[in-house]
Amino acid sequence: MKLFELVSGRAKYWILLVSGLMVFACSSDKSEEMVKILAKIHQESFKRTNPFSPKAEIAFYDSMSTLAQGNPYKSFITDFYKANAYLKNGEETKAVTLLETILPMALTKFQGNAERTLTSLGIASLRLAERQNCVNNHTAESCVIPIINTGIHKIKGGSRRAIEVYETILSRNPSDYEAQWLLNIAYMTIGEYPAKVPAQYLIPDLDKDKSGYDLNPFTDVAPGLNLNLKNKAGGTILEDFDNDGYLDIVISDLGLDGSMHYFKNNANNTFSDVSEKSGLSRFKGGLNIMQTDYNNDGFIDIFVLRGAWMPDPFGKQPNSLLKNNGNGTFTDVTIDSGLYSLHPTQAGVWRDFNNDGWLDLFIGNETANMGEMHGCELYINNKNGTFTDITIDAGCDLNLFIKGVTAGDYDNDGWQDIFISTHQETKVLLKNKGVQKNGKLKFEDVTQASGLSELRNFTFPTWFWDYDNDGWLDIFVCGYQADHSMAYSVATDALGIPNRGSKMYLFKNNHDGTFRDVSVEAGISHSIFAMGSNFGDIDNDGYPDMYLGTGNPDYQSLVPNKLFRNIGGKKFADATISARVGNLQKGHGVGISDLDNDGDQDIFIEVGGAYPGDSYNNSLYLNPGQNNNRWIKLILEGKRSNRLGIGARIKVTFKENGISRSVYQDLSSGGSFGSSSLRREIGIGEANIIDEISIIWPGSGTKQVFRNIKPNQLLKITEGNNKPKEINIKTLNFGGDNKNIPICITPAVKAI
């Protein structure tokens, strides 16, 4: 039976939705009504045809077991699928036991099923080992490649059985590179890599940093701060939600039985879980989340995107606009705002597309091949708490399987453009033509003219950034198309064997409306399958680095998250091993910001897969400091522009070792899957003084320039006010090696 077939109870599903919507008309508490709608959708999603409902699968195969009695082959097949459903549900012992029971039949009577039975038993054994060690006895070093010290498994039986199985698979098929990868990882979990790995199966140097640009190791301090919440895949926002000057953390869980969580930074080296108090715990689901200030009131709101990856009708889930009430609580205003719709998505971006000083919203939905149409949505802010859908008039009515959306002014004409990444061959660059004479906003598809139409592989996360500091926005987009499987592609890449999987792609802006693929010369043309990811400057040299969360729902996709260091805007070096941030578990929402206020950026990643059995602990990788480079931090407040200043162009100019250089940043939360703080944290290398900071405000086009600024301080700059405000906040100690750099030094500022 096909995995994505529609459920028979579809009519009932819609009746429940409509009845829920009718209640909206007579209820003043729309938050509670949204909670009820989400609960009903969750209830109706308990179907075997929902690929992310393993409990429903188990119930189905339990019922099939009776029907299969007396038919050995049907019983075998039923038990095989039931075992895999157990595995997805986190019942690894049951899965292993059942697979061990049917393995002799697969190797003798039903040999056509031998390979997949062995494959399932191998990963089930390895997952059992992870449950017993990495999950139940979690440490900061669990599942971080190379697995050493407290990351080594104490209970070794699961990994040893996995080794036996993978060696059996490889004896039957030496070209099974997925099995070879997992075999090497299994040996590593018990401290026997590389010494005990059979020479013919060894993938060498998985424990070595060969980049020549190593970093001081980060420390995962999430366990000590009670931030290592174990949940499924979801989004991340690092932001100051209560305007006290300290960055908080909000995360989500894609399951409609998984709550959002809000961790308040107490400014005393601790965080408090205020999820229930804030009201956020009521809201379930959301693979991705992002911050905004849709009503320009100075309190940062949250937008939740739901339904991604799920086939119809299960992906028809409403997004949520959660209004920050300014008192520590949030209210769902989706219905009243006019943003209620039912489409599967995790991709969206907030920008002032029509330059009127208010943030608008573009959403990229997922239209599968031969499936129901789920077109893009473009909403213009009405400046009164509501939005108007102008998708068709603006020329944005695209039906694609969209996985990433980013916005930026790539041609420096003052209008925010849109780039779209898809799980299809088509990518799209929409040039913002501005408000036309008829008063309507218009976009033009310039994909072919820009040189981006040659990218035909499936892709996922994306962003605009100025990676080489030339004043023009470039595009990064990461492939998401494997050769056989993700582990297979990563293994062949590590072995230097050509594969057909997609790579990472970096497109340099040619300053004339076109882009050039520089992936090979930048050293990133490798098979990395990123989902959640983001960029920041972890060594304060002024060039943006990137951290990529990897994986997919398959348990075999046990591949490390990756950190790439930008080397002078010329190339990128894989610093994952030396930095100790290569978690093998599924990486989703990523935020890169200075959470402890010591001057260097830290990395928070929401970890966990799509299934209940793939839940995992989140990580906060504390940056120990990489050098003595200096920095400047800026908080922008728009007046004519949107209140948060999103889309502002920032240029910081200084002399380093006698040579003048500039760093360029656009104000945004970074990548398309994960939200860093909107507070600008800009590295300036070894400069002793900043010669000039220039800001071009979005929408208004106003330019402000400030000169002779001392580094290592946090300033608030308000549009139209030529006197920056000093912000004094404490350096925090989260358990790592903080340098205790003072956060505020009295500045010498000359404004123009």
Side-chain angles (χ1 to χ4, degrees):
M1 189 170 290
K2 294 181 180 179
L3 184 63
F4 294 152
E5 64 183 339
L6 296 178
V7 297
S8 59
R10 188 167 182 173
K12 181 181 177 184
Y13 173 89
W14 283 107
I15 290 171
L16 285 168
L17 280 180
V18 172
S19 65
L21 285 171
M22 290 175 63
V23 178
F24 286 141
C26 57
S27 172
S28 60
D29 189 347
K30 303 295 173 64
S31 291
E32 287 305 316
E33 293 307 321
M34 180 63 81
V35 169
K36 293 176 183 177
I37 289 294
L38 294 173
K40 289 176 182 177
I41 295 174
H42 175 57
Q43 181 182 10
E44 285 298 302
S45 296
F46 188 80
K47 306 285 184 183
R48 186 188 67 84
T49 47
N50 180 351
F52 303 113
S53 183
K55 285 185 179 180
E57 287 188 65
I58 293 170
F60 172 79
Y61 290 116
D62 277 340
S63 66
M64 289 295 293
S65 295
T66 302
L67 297 176
Q69 286 180 0
N71 187 321
Y73 182 70
K74 285 186 177 180
S75 293
F76 170 84
I77 292 297
T78 299
D79 287 345
F80 172 80
Y81 284 112
K82 184 177 179 180
N84 281 278
Y86 277 139
L87 184 59
K88 289 191 289 186
N89 201 46
E91 299 178 83
E92 294 87 1
T93 299
K94 290 182 179 180
V96 168
T97 299
L98 194 49
L99 288 166
E100 293 281 18
T101 299
I102 66 174
L103 179 61
M105 287 183 284
L107 296 174
T108 55
K109 290 185 69 174
F110 310 122
Q111 294 183 28
N113 296 282
E115 296 304 321
R116 62 175 181 167
T117 305
L118 284 166
T119 297
S120 291
L121 178 57
I123 196 62
S125 300
L126 196 52
R127 296 295 298 196
L128 176 60
E130 291 174 351
R131 174 75 61 190
Q132 294 171 332
N133 295 275
C134 307
V135 177
N136 294 345
N137 297 290
H138 181 72
T139 75
E141 294 185 295
S142 294
C143 285
V144 176
I145 193 169
I147 300 171
I148 56 175
N149 303 326
T150 60
I152 299 293
H153 290 188
K154 294 181 179 180
I155 304 173
K156 303 180 186 296
S159 289
R160 292 208 181 278
R161 180 54 175 148
I163 288 169
E164 293 173 357
V165 172
Y166 288 126
E167 289 183 351
T168 299
I169 292 172
L170 288 165
S171 70
R172 297 163 66 98
N173 179 14
S175 297
D176 190 332
Y177 295 110
E178 175 183 280
Q180 186 173 353
W181 173 267
L182 294 170
L183 175 69
N184 280 260
I185 296 299
Y187 270 110
M188 192 180 288
T189 65
I190 57 175
E192 295 182 0
Y193 173 93
K196 297 291 183 66
V197 183
Q200 68 271 33
Y201 303 143
L202 178 66
I203 301 177
D205 299 330
L206 293 179
D207 57 345
K208 292 182 174 60
D209 188 329
K210 299 179 290 184
S211 70
Y213 297 94
D214 59 327
L215 291 168
N216 295 329
F218 288 60
T219 302
D220 185 358
V221 297
L225 295 171
N226 295 319
L227 295 174
N228 61 327
L229 186 72
K230 188 171 64 180
N231 51 264
K232 299 192 292 294
T236 290
I237 304 174
L238 308 183
E239 197 53 88
D240 180 7
F241 286 99
D242 53 3
N243 290 349
D244 66 350
Y246 296 86
L247 297 182
D248 311 303
I249 302 172
V250 171
I251 60 174
S252 63
D253 184 314
L254 73 86
L256 290 177
D257 56 348
S259 299
M260 294 182 66
H261 283 266
Y262 174 12
F263 296 99
K264 173 179 164 50
N265 190 331
N266 297 319
N268 63 359
N269 309 323
T270 68
F271 287 83
S272 293
D273 188 340
V274 295
S275 310
E276 186 173 349
K277 181 179 179 181
S278 67
L280 288 182
S281 64
R282 295 179 296 166
F283 303 110
K284 315 297 183 182
L287 184 55
N288 195 13
I289 53 177
M290 57 193 64
Q291 71 269 59
T292 183
D293 185 359
Y294 78 98
N295 56 0
N296 273 344
D297 68 351
F299 292 100
I300 293 179
D301 314 299
I302 298 173
F303 190 63
V304 184
L305 298 124
R306 298 188 178 95
W309 289 118
M310 296 186 179
D312 288 333
F314 307 114
K316 291 180 177 179
Q317 301 177 12
N319 302 320
S320 280
L321 177 59
L322 303 177
K323 179 181 182 293
N324 186 335
N325 298 317
N327 60 2
T329 68
F330 292 80
T331 300
D332 192 308
V333 296
T334 312
I335 303 299
D336 288 341
S337 70
L339 293 179
Y340 187 91
S341 64
L342 292 168
H343 302 289
T345 183
Q346 67 176 62
V349 64
W350 290 83
R351 285 293 191 282
D352 182 3
F353 291 114
N354 60 357
N355 286 347
D356 68 349
W358 294 71
L359 291 172
D360 312 304
L361 172 64
F362 179 90
I363 303 172
N365 295 312
E366 297 181 356
T367 296
N369 290 334
M370 307 301 292
E372 185 175 339
M373 297 294 101
H374 295 288
C376 295
E377 300 168 83
L378 175 58
Y379 294 95
I380 293 299
N381 197 320
N382 296 325
K383 309 179 187 180
N384 61 2
T386 69
F387 294 80
T388 297
D389 186 343
I390 64 163
T391 311
I392 295 176
D393 285 346
C396 298
D397 50 329
L398 304 171
N399 282 284
L400 297 166
F401 200 95
I402 297 173
K403 295 308 301 178
V405 172
T406 185
D409 182 8
Y410 79 92
D411 53 0
N412 287 342
D413 67 351
W415 298 91
Q416 294 287 311
D417 312 296
I418 299 171
F419 178 73
I420 297 171
S421 169
T422 74
H423 198 58
Q424 292 166 314
E425 292 185 350
T426 304
K427 315 297 164 217
V428 180
L429 177 62
L430 295 175
K431 174 178 169 56
N432 189 338
K433 304 287 287 185
V435 178
Q436 306 297 293
K437 291 181 179 180
N438 61 5
K440 295 182 179 180
L441 186 66
K442 195 69 178 177
F443 285 82
E444 177 187 359
D445 186 340
V446 296
T447 312
Q448 186 168 359
S450 68
L452 295 169
S453 60
E454 298 302 313
L455 177 54
R456 307 296 291 174
N457 286 319
F458 294 5
T459 56
F460 198 154
T462 186
W463 54 72
F464 281 110
W465 62 346
D466 190 352
Y467 81 95
D468 55 357
N469 283 324
D470 66 353
W472 294 77
L473 289 176
D474 314 294
I475 297 174
F476 173 84
V477 59
C478 193
Y480 203 70
Q481 183 172 326
D483 184 2
H484 292 79
S485 71
M486 290 191 177
Y488 183 103
S489 293
V490 171
T492 52
D493 191 84
L495 291 166
I497 299 171
N499 67 66
R500 295 169 295 176
S502 54
K503 317 287 185 181
M504 295 179 284
Y505 305 97
L506 179 61
F507 293 94
K508 178 177 171 58
N509 195 321
N510 294 324
H511 309 178
D512 60 1
T514 68
F515 293 82
R516 178 170 63 92
D517 186 348
V518 296
S519 311
V520 175
E521 59 193 81
I524 64 169
S525 184
H526 294 283
S527 294
I528 306 293
F529 302 93
M531 300 182 294
S533 47
N534 221 316
F535 61 93
D537 183 5
I538 53 91
D539 53 3
N540 282 332
D541 66 351
Y543 292 98
D545 315 295
M546 57 181 172
Y547 185 63
L548 310 178
T550 63
N552 76 352
D554 291 341
Y555 282 171
Q556 287 89 339
S557 299
L558 199 64
V559 298
N561 302 321
K562 287 283 189 174
L563 175 62
F564 289 90
R565 187 177 186 182
N566 188 332
I567 311 301
K570 305 291 186 183
K571 63 180 182 179
F572 289 82
D574 185 345
T576 307
I577 299 299
S578 61
R580 296 291 291 146
V581 293
N583 196 317
L584 288 164
Q585 300 299 324
K586 312 297 172 55
H588 286 89
V590 173
I592 303 178
S593 299
D594 184 9
L595 283 159
D596 58 354
N597 302 324
D598 67 350
D600 47 47
Q601 292 188 318
D602 312 299
I603 302 171
F604 184 90
I605 180 168
E606 207 272 3
V607 186
Y611 304 118
D614 210 8
S615 299
Y616 197 75
N617 304 83
N618 301 325
S619 292
L620 170 54
Y621 293 111
L622 200 66
N623 191 336
Q626 303 300 326
N627 45 48
N628 292 317
N629 285 347
R630 299 177 179 89
W631 42 269
I632 188 72
K633 297 183 182 182
L634 305 174
I635 297 174
L636 301 192
E637 181 180 349
K639 291 299 183 181
R640 291 177 58 196
S641 305
N642 70 85
R643 182 72 173 262
L644 296 179
I646 292 177
R649 308 295 302 272
I650 302 169
K651 178 182 178 182
V652 178
T653 302
F654 51 88
K655 291 183 180 67
E656 186 178 26
N657 300 319
I659 300 173
S660 181
R661 55 177 289 224
S662 297
V663 172
Y664 296 83
Q665 283 195 14
D666 274 24
L667 200 160
S668 75
S669 59
S672 61
F673 194 172
S675 299
S676 301
S677 172
L678 296 172
R679 179 181 300 174
R680 293 299 82 196
E681 299 168 346
I682 303 170
I684 57 171
E686 299 178 3
N688 293 312
I689 195 77
I690 297 172
D691 297 323
E692 182 177 289
I693 295 177
S694 71
I695 299 170
I696 299 177
W697 290 89
S700 70
T702 302
K703 183 176 181 178
Q704 285 182 275
V705 178
F706 305 89
R707 290 182 175 152
N708 300 324
I709 304 166
K710 289 185 178 181
N712 293 11
Q713 61 174 321
L714 170 61
L715 298 175
K716 181 176 181 179
I717 296 177
T718 301
E719 184 178 11
N721 186 336
N722 288 328
K723 185 176 181 180
K725 179 182 179 182
E726 306 165 26
I727 305 295
N728 291 283
I729 53 177
K730 296 181 295 184
T731 300
L732 304 175
N733 186 350
F734 290 152
D737 297 324
N738 294 68
K739 299 186 298 298
N740 291 315
I741 298 175
I743 194 68
C744 185
I745 300 174
T746 302
V749 180
K750 181 180 180 181
I752 294 179

